[in-house]
Amino acid sequence: MINWIPLADEQQLSDIVKNSYELPQVIFKHSTRCSISSMAKSRLERSTPPENLPMHYLDLIQYRSLSNSIADVLSVHHESPQIILVKNGECVYDESHSGISMDELVDQVNSISK
């Protein structure tokens, strides 16, 4: 089960970037109006996330400007749905749409943790 951390303001984004120097952080950008986004979220939720990996959830319909800030701060092209892995203040991996999978996320986390 994923313990989603709601992402709703700029200060949280700053904290995610800061905390990524200690521990990788994940941001999942979800459109509540998109069936593909709902399928990606469901696929993630049926999987087991890595232990001690903060999983932040952004409702980008409600917080569109924050989604734009994520793109700017992390220099990553906006997609929806999108999963972003942040380490040492930068995006080290992102994937969107049907490419989103927990297995791939786990592989990426393991590769940066070595």
Side-chain angles (χ1 to χ4, degrees):
M1 183 177 141
I2 296 176
N3 183 19
W4 292 114
I5 302 164
L7 176 52
D9 63 49
E10 299 278 342
Q11 182 58 53
Q12 286 177 283
L13 177 56
S14 295
D15 291 344
I16 289 168
V17 170
K18 182 181 78 176
N19 293 339
S20 74
Y21 286 90
E22 300 296 322
L23 190 66
Q25 308 281 312
V26 172
I27 299 171
F28 177 65
K29 294 178 9 180
H30 173 57
S31 170
T32 55
R33 296 182 188 155
C34 173
S35 61
I36 294 171
S37 191
S38 294
M39 285 190 305
K41 182 175 181 275
S42 176
R43 200 169 47 246
L44 288 173
E45 290 176 335
R46 287 192 307 266
S47 305
T48 303
E51 285 189 39
N52 302 318
L53 181 67
M55 302 281 289
H56 304 274
Y57 168 90
L58 175 69
D59 175 343
L60 57 83
I61 299 299
Q62 189 170 1
Y63 301 106
R64 177 61 191 201
S65 64
L66 185 54
S67 176
N68 293 337
S69 294
I70 290 167
D72 291 343
V73 168
L74 298 175
S75 300
V76 63
H77 182 73
H78 166 77
E79 298 281 349
S80 169
Q82 184 175 35
I83 197 154
I84 301 168
L85 180 60
V86 184
K87 175 73 175 163
N88 295 330
E90 58 188 36
C91 172
V92 295
Y93 168 77
D94 76 283
E95 188 58 76
S96 66
H97 297 84
S98 61
I100 296 173
S101 82
M102 187 63 74
D103 288 343
E104 180 62 24
L105 180 61
V106 169
D107 287 348
Q108 293 295 324
V109 169
N110 289 340
S111 73
I112 63 171
S113 298
K114 293 179 180 175

